[in-house]
Amino acid sequence: MSNDDGTVEITHKTIGPSRPSRIRVASRIKVRDLRNAIAEKGRFPVANLRMILRGKALQDEEDGEDVYVTLKDEDSLTVAVIPKRPVGVETYDDDDDDEELKFQLPASASRWKRKLYYFLRNKLKLPDIILMGVFSLSLKMWAIITLWFILAPIAHSWDLGPIFLLGTGFSIILLNLGKRQPGDVSAYSIFNEDFRELPGTYNAERIDRDIRAGHI
């Protein structure tokens, strides 16, 4: 029966030989919280729990927002627990491989990132490879890319297109050179102190030494 505190009592039936159980929850509740409550009572793994209410599978999120569900007394919820893969058993399921290749935002992603992600994936139907490229770049990098596209037509109008492209190439090279830590040695001896070479370097000087020593 419904209480004055806004809770209702519902029945959940787990697929299989188990008997139906009853649980009292809020009449309006997040799907995520409902899943956790049922998993805690039935001692089910939350990640493997699927719920069906009134013929519809319940999802925790939709377009980056938590989904709420309104429950009534005597509502019946069907619960399915996906079995875990046996330890040491390898499966070759194409669906599992496709799922692993899909791009997913980390749980720590901000709300605006999640909303943008769901808009690009669900509304614009962008492939995962493009989504991966979009969300792997930092805001600083996106600002640089935007500035490049703003300056490109200006350089073209001043007949500086080739110089602009060359400058872009050199900038990319210089920005990706990185910094050597103390003690690191470059593969090119000209950049090392006293022109020190890497161990095992085989060059003309090494060949000359081997010939003079009779090793060749």
Side-chain angles (χ1 to χ4, degrees):
M1 297 293 294
S2 178
N3 284 359
D4 294 336
D5 59 358
T7 62
V8 294
E9 191 174 49
I10 63 172
T11 303
H12 62 89
K13 173 69 171 66
T14 305
I15 296 177
S18 61
R19 300 178 61 181
S21 301
R22 302 182 73 84
I23 185 173
R24 181 167 291 279
V25 294
S27 59
R28 178 172 169 79
I29 185 173
K30 291 181 181 179
V31 173
R32 189 191 312 276
D33 294 339
L34 178 61
R35 187 190 309 277
N36 291 333
I38 293 177
E40 182 179 357
K41 183 174 181 180
R43 297 181 179 178
F44 303 131
V46 177
N48 294 18
L49 200 65
R50 301 293 182 269
M51 302 183 299
I52 301 174
L53 177 65
R54 305 176 194 130
K56 181 181 178 181
L58 300 181
Q59 303 293 333
D60 291 349
E61 294 183 352
E62 185 175 340
D63 294 338
E65 300 287 346
D66 288 323
V67 175
Y68 286 81
V69 62
T70 301
L71 301 170
K72 302 177 183 177
D73 271 320
E74 306 302 327
D75 266 340
S76 181
L77 192 69
T78 302
V79 177
V81 181
I82 301 176
K84 293 183 178 180
R85 181 181 301 175
V87 178
V89 176
E90 295 184 1
T91 59
Y92 298 93
D93 191 344
D94 291 339
D95 293 338
D96 291 342
D97 293 340
D98 292 342
E99 190 68 25
E100 292 178 358
L101 292 174
K102 288 183 178 179
F103 173 74
Q104 294 182 347
L105 281 178
S108 59
S110 59
R111 182 178 179 182
W112 73 266
K113 274 191 175 182
R114 301 186 72 85
K115 290 182 71 69
L116 177 61
Y117 167 72
Y118 284 105
F119 173 78
L120 295 176
R121 189 189 69 175
N122 298 337
K123 302 297 183 181
L124 300 185
K125 305 296 183 182
L126 294 182
D128 290 277
I129 187 66
I130 295 180
L131 293 174
M132 190 180 302
V134 169
F135 289 96
S136 62
L137 297 177
S138 63
L139 288 176
K140 179 181 179 180
M141 185 57 64
W142 277 114
I144 293 174
I145 293 174
T146 303
L147 181 63
W148 189 91
F149 279 102
I150 293 174
L151 295 177
I154 298 176
H156 177 71
S157 64
W158 286 82
D159 293 329
L160 297 175
I163 297 177
F164 183 75
L165 292 177
L166 286 174
T168 300
F170 281 117
S171 298
I172 293 174
I173 293 173
L174 293 174
L175 291 175
N176 285 276
L177 286 178
K179 294 183 179 179
R180 281 191 291 168
Q181 300 298 323
D184 287 349
V185 181
S186 171
Y188 302 97
S189 59
I190 192 174
F191 296 113
N192 297 327
E193 186 178 356
D194 298 328
F195 301 102
R196 184 157 52 99
E197 298 177 349
L198 288 176
T201 301
Y202 202 72
N203 51 24
E205 186 177 349
R206 173 70 179 274
I207 295 174
D208 181 65
R209 286 201 306 266
D210 290 344
I211 292 174
R212 293 176 182 276
H215 295 160
I216 296 180

